[in-house]
Amino acid sequence: GYVYAAMTNYSPGGMYMKADEYLDVGQNLVIRMEEYDPLSKGPEKYDYYYGSVKWIKHFHTEPYDSAYGYGIEYDQPVMF
């Protein structure tokens, strides 16, 4: 299924994203970029990323805040 998440940080090796849904460490992901732009010099340059969850941070949140933060490692490093 699909999980909506907000990416807040990225690098050539991975990204950090927040979501309300729980994902397991080691879970494989296909991440689709909503604002894909092949001319971008940032993460929107690619329409999809393939990776896995490396770590999880659980937030004790206020309503309307994301409940989980995820460290994602890409299957292959990317260039921006």
Side-chain angles (χ1 to χ4, degrees):
Y2 291 93
V3 172
Y4 179 80
M7 178 184 57
T8 60
N9 193 346
Y10 65 93
S11 72
M15 69 174 65
Y16 176 73
M17 64 183 199
K18 292 182 177 181
D20 290 328
E21 290 81 6
Y22 180 80
L23 303 170
D24 291 316
V25 170
Q27 185 170 342
N28 292 320
L29 303 173
V30 177
I31 301 164
R32 184 178 70 84
M33 299 300 289
E34 271 187 357
E35 298 180 17
Y36 167 63
D37 177 1
L39 301 178
S40 173
K41 299 203 185 306
E44 297 84 6
K45 178 177 180 176
Y46 301 100
D47 52 351
Y48 290 93
Y49 292 89
Y50 299 89
S52 60
V53 177
K54 291 299 172 189
W55 53 266
I56 301 169
K57 180 175 182 180
H58 181 259
F59 298 103
H60 300 285
T61 61
E62 299 295 322
Y64 308 109
D65 286 345
S66 296
Y68 302 98
Y70 297 100
I72 308 298
E73 182 178 58
Y74 306 135
D75 289 348
Q76 299 289 323
V78 297
M79 299 297 291
F80 297 110

